[in-house]
Amino acid sequence: MDLTETADHPAAGAADPGDAATRERAITVLLADDNLIVREGVRALLGLEDDIEVVGVAADLDELVATADELVPQVVVTDIRMPPNFQDEGIEGAKEVRKRHPGTGIVVLSQYDEPEYAISLLAQGAASSAYLLKDRIGDGNQLARAIREVATGGSMLDPQIVQALVAPVTDEAALTPAEEALLQQVAEGRPVKAIAAATSTTPEAVNDAVEDLFLKLARGASAGRVGALRRLRLLQKAIIDREEQGETLSRMLPGGLADKLREDVGAAERTERLDVTVLMSDVRGYSAIAERTDPTVLAGQLDEHRAAMNDAILAQSGTVMQYVGDAVMAVFGAPFPVDDHAGAAVRAAVAMHERQQAIDERWSGEGRAPFGLGIGLSTGEVAAAMLGSEERYEYTLVGDTVNLAQRLQDLARPAGTTVLSDATRVAVAGDWTTEELPVQRVKGRDAPVRCHRLVGAVDRITEVR
């Protein structure tokens, strides 16, 4: 998610052509398409991006899987229909690659706007998956954005596919207003349990109503209507599968935001001023770790690291806004206001260090590189809004408070250090021991910055417990 797209704090995935470190950390991509012209056209398109590197190509299903095993790319960009049978080899190959290398992002390119293919790709979960139409991949640089998104665990659907999924079914047997509303909710991908809660009924009653609706549609279905009915059945199956796996639509939004939007539809169109504390963390020496670590092993470490950081943040009622590689951004006080957001942020930072230290001790015994953290905390006013474009919207925080948290995180050295802004220190004065650092000049700010290092954190967290 692009949370702080400013000149001083570029959007996730954006690269400075003169930044050698960024080039070294370019997202590695494997292209799979049996059409040489299309394949080389996509390669040329991606060659314009400084933070994306095409490391290999494949022309059929077997070559796709074998090359992915050999190169272990971060992202696979694949056509749907390839040899040997020109059916759905691209999607099947992508699933096989994901099974062998769980950290791999998948971008499917297709000339087909039938939603069934997108549903097949997303049925086991939307994370790290994207589906784009070939004739639109150059529009607004969609392909590069999709690659960056899936490389960090996000997802993306071509707007035409979204429209095909949620568009009301036409020229069917007449439906009552309640049936139209139910059909729309199913097509939007709302879980059965969520529909039941919104309509003050039971999941069993919703399932019965969906079955009755499908029967009504089927009774007068012609050839075209059968296609629409089949799409809805496939979509319902995908929803049920995700529910059984414990995955809901809420997981695709920052914590609490899904509930807020359901309770207040107009919130999506408003910008709110909120007083918050922003937390930014980063793994120290990550580039060197990545250089000497097998990518599949590193993906497993990142997954374990993120889970631990997520638990520490949620335990203090924080909202995880963004994961970008080894970096974590969280906010305390949004989307819902919190009185003691600064204190909660400090407690979360201490717990993050403590949990990562325990993981590092175990990793060291297993021969894996430890992750040492640097954390920056900044307190102040932000603007919170749903921002984006026709392709996608994201919950975004804007303001100097966000940028300052990033700068303070850069100052949090050595590993295990937490640096607080002056406003954060004032907010938690008396609860935590801090040490004032020399006045700092940071990138993007004319005035010098007063900041403070948290001390005695390990002992303090024991007392808090």
Side-chain angles (χ1 to χ4, degrees):
M1 296 185 291
D2 302 336
L3 298 176
T4 52
E5 191 170 357
T6 66
D8 296 325
H9 189 79
D16 181 350
D19 188 344
T22 298
R23 290 196 299 272
E24 289 177 3
R25 297 176 62 178
I27 301 169
T28 55
V29 173
L30 168 63
L31 292 180
D33 196 305
D34 65 295
N35 187 311
L36 176 62
I37 295 176
V38 172
R39 194 169 65 228
E40 292 308 310
V42 173
R43 188 207 290 261
L45 184 67
L46 294 180
L48 301 175
E49 307 295 331
D50 296 294
D51 62 332
I52 297 174
E53 178 185 4
V54 177
V55 295
V57 297
D60 57 40
L61 173 60
D62 291 340
E63 189 175 11
L64 165 59
V65 175
T67 307
D69 281 344
E70 177 186 355
L71 301 177
V72 194
Q74 291 171 265
V75 175
V76 170
V77 177
T78 180
D79 186 21
I80 288 182
R81 298 186 178 182
M82 296 189 299
N85 300 316
F86 292 95
Q87 298 297 319
D88 59 354
E89 287 83 0
I91 288 180
E92 291 308 309
K95 290 180 178 178
E96 181 62 26
V97 170
R98 182 75 66 81
K99 184 187 301 181
R100 299 185 184 197
H101 309 287
T104 308
I106 303 296
V107 178
V108 170
L109 301 181
S110 175
Q111 65 191 50
Y112 309 102
D113 60 1
E114 289 296 322
E116 287 91 335
Y117 291 114
I119 293 170
S120 177
L121 175 68
L122 303 176
Q124 296 179 345
S128 301
S129 300
Y131 188 101
L132 303 179
L133 298 181
K134 282 185 177 179
D135 60 356
R136 286 161 45 83
I137 59 176
D139 296 352
N141 206 19
Q142 275 200 48
L143 178 56
R145 292 204 307 276
I147 289 172
R148 296 182 186 113
E149 191 70 24
V150 302
T152 56
S155 60
M156 186 172 176
L157 280 179
D158 191 288
Q160 288 186 206
I161 295 296
V162 175
Q163 181 60 29
L165 286 173
V166 304
V169 178
T170 59
D171 64 1
E172 297 283 0
L175 301 180
T176 67
E179 289 170 334
E180 288 281 9
L182 177 60
L183 179 58
Q184 184 69 19
Q185 290 184 85
V186 173
E188 288 172 352
R190 297 197 69 185
V192 169
K193 292 177 182 177
I195 297 174
T199 55
S200 300
T201 186
T202 64
E204 292 76 16
V206 172
N207 267 324
D208 290 343
V210 170
E211 287 298 323
D212 290 342
L213 175 60
F214 284 171
L215 288 173
K216 184 172 183 178
L217 292 172
R219 275 194 292 266
S222 66
R225 293 196 290 270
V226 167
L229 179 58
R230 179 164 50 91
R231 287 199 298 271
L232 288 172
R233 285 192 182 280
L234 286 170
L235 183 55
Q236 188 202 28
K237 181 180 183 302
I239 294 167
I240 293 172
D241 287 345
R242 290 198 297 268
E243 278 198 330
E244 289 175 349
Q245 296 165 10
E247 177 175 316
T248 67
L249 294 180
S250 298
R251 293 187 61 185
M252 302 187 71
L253 294 171
L257 183 58
D259 293 335
K260 182 169 185 173
L261 293 178
R262 279 196 291 268
E263 295 169 3
D264 181 6
V265 177
E269 300 177 356
R270 290 198 302 269
T271 297
E272 297 181 295
R273 289 181 178 271
L274 296 172
D275 192 48
V276 303
T277 297
V278 177
L279 178 152
M280 295 276 194
S281 79
D282 192 61
V283 174
R284 294 293 172 245
Y286 180 79
S287 295
I289 295 171
E291 183 178 2
R292 62 177 184 269
T293 303
D294 181 276
T296 57
V297 173
L298 186 60
Q301 289 185 267
L302 278 175
D303 187 57
E304 188 172 354
H305 164 71
R306 290 179 177 183
M309 300 304 99
N310 188 70
D311 288 346
I313 292 165
L314 293 183
Q316 298 299 327
S317 301
T319 299
V320 178
M321 295 292 294
Q322 183 181 38
Y323 292 113
V324 181
D326 57 307
V328 178
M329 175 182 176
V331 62
F332 298 80
F336 297 105
V338 174
D339 290 335
D340 184 29
H341 51 79
V346 175
R347 291 191 293 273
V350 172
M352 289 166 69
H353 282 304
E354 189 180 56
R355 292 180 186 225
Q356 189 58 51
Q357 183 179 8
I359 294 173
D360 285 344
E361 290 174 358
R362 175 165 50 78
W363 282 352
S364 296
E366 298 168 354
R368 291 189 283 176
F371 285 4
L373 299 181
I375 298 178
L377 300 177
S378 175
T379 299
E381 188 179 69
V382 298
M386 294 290 290
L387 302 178
S389 64
E390 291 183 356
E391 289 86 7
R392 58 201 304 270
Y393 283 89
E394 292 166 348
Y395 187 63
T396 305
L397 302 182
V398 178
D400 183 62
T401 301
V402 179
N403 295 334
L404 181 57
Q406 173 66 38
R407 303 306 174 210
L408 296 179
Q409 176 269 120
D410 290 338
L411 299 175
R413 302 175 188 277
T417 300
T418 299
V419 174
L420 285 61
S421 71
D422 200 45
T424 306
R425 183 200 63 81
V426 170
V428 300
D431 294 332
W432 298 89
T433 302
T434 61
E435 174 184 77
E436 185 166 2
L437 298 176
V439 174
Q440 304 284 332
R441 289 195 174 275
V442 299
K443 182 179 179 182
R445 295 175 67 94
D446 295 330
V449 173
R450 293 184 62 191
C451 52
H452 309 262
R453 181 176 66 87
L454 188 66
V455 298
V458 174
D459 294 337
R460 181 69 181 113
I461 196 65
T462 302
E463 294 172 13
V464 169
R465 289 178 176 175

